[in-house]
Amino acid sequence: MSTEKKRNKKKNRTIMRSVILLLLVAAIGYTIYNSVTADEVEVLKVGDPAPDFTLTDLDGKTHKLSDYKGQGVFLNFWGTWCEPCIKEMPAMASQYDVYEDQGVQILAVNIAQSNFEVETFARQYGLDFPIVIDRDKSVMTAYNIRPLPTTMLVNPQGEIQRIVTGEMTEQDIAGFMEEIKPE
């Protein structure tokens, strides 16, 4: 191999290493910048007032959480692709039929899916409680929702009474609705 080829090979290796190093430094810098400038999202706790929001359901009706003051609200965050969400929806529908007349409402907050996907899902499972879509994920962010499903039980005074992450059985749902039922 000629000296010229060796020099070119060494030069190419040096350039490649420099590019990789530069990319690593940029990635680390971006990560540090994001963590320093990230908005502080306060983690909600039991006893905190539930952040108010207004979202629109599949029929075009607006739902404002504060309009439900005096009632218990079973605030469920979900997605059509979420297996545990799919499993608990029929149980929620069944318990909604029992507790709606007792002052417990369900607001199912879908996370940024299309009307078509959500309407198809609701028809498939015969869901008759209000389903709203959080198109820009602002409500999800305000409630600091991480895993789906997550359910916030809001008591008649508008405070978070319980935070439930993961799939619920029908028995769980009935017990939770009983907890937030107005007296």
Side-chain angles (χ1 to χ4, degrees):
M1 194 184 280
S2 72
T3 322
E4 183 69 28
K5 278 188 174 182
K6 285 182 183 179
R7 238 184 267 137
N8 279 342
K9 197 172 184 179
K10 188 174 183 180
K11 183 179 175 184
N12 287 341
R13 226 181 0 247
T14 303
I15 290 172
M16 189 58 90
R17 287 177 181 160
S18 297
V19 167
I20 291 171
L21 183 61
L22 187 63
L23 287 172
L24 283 171
V25 167
I28 291 169
Y30 178 77
T31 302
I32 291 170
Y33 172 79
N34 264 354
S35 62
V36 168
T37 61
D39 290 340
E40 275 294 309
V41 176
E42 193 170 315
V43 177
L44 295 172
K45 303 178 295 299
V46 170
D48 286 347
D52 200 13
F53 62 86
T54 303
L55 292 174
T56 305
D57 69 17
L58 298 174
D59 297 324
K61 180 182 174 198
T62 58
H63 293 265
K64 187 173 182 176
L65 183 64
S66 58
D67 289 344
Y68 291 94
K69 200 158 188 153
Q71 300 179 67
V73 179
F74 192 89
L75 189 59
N76 180 263
F77 293 85
W78 68 286
T80 63
W81 46 265
C82 162
E83 283 298 319
C85 302
I86 294 167
K87 290 178 183 174
E88 70 186 13
M89 281 292 177
M92 285 171 48
S94 172
Q95 292 305 307
Y96 179 67
D97 292 340
V98 172
Y99 283 92
E100 179 186 18
D101 292 336
Q102 298 179 48
V104 177
Q105 298 299 319
I106 289 180
L107 266 182
V109 181
N110 175 271
I111 306 301
Q113 291 187 267
S114 72
N115 275 27
F116 177 76
E117 290 172 296
V118 178
E119 286 170 353
T120 302
F121 183 91
R123 261 194 319 276
Q124 179 181 352
Y125 292 96
L127 307 178
D128 61 349
F129 48 78
I131 298 173
V132 295
I133 301 175
D134 185 11
R135 298 196 187 288
D136 62 1
K137 299 183 180 179
S138 60
V139 178
M140 177 183 161
T141 301
Y143 279 81
N144 202 26
I145 300 300
R146 281 300 164 253
L148 291 182
T150 292
T151 301
M152 298 282 185
L153 300 177
V154 181
N155 66 26
Q157 293 74 42
E159 301 164 338
I160 296 171
Q161 185 159 320
R162 183 187 293 259
I163 301 169
V164 182
T165 56
E167 184 181 339
M168 297 173 285
T169 66
E170 187 158 352
Q171 187 177 356
D172 294 335
I173 293 167
F176 295 147
M177 288 187 168
E178 194 64 40
E179 278 183 31
I180 57 173
K181 183 171 75 171
E183 295 180 21

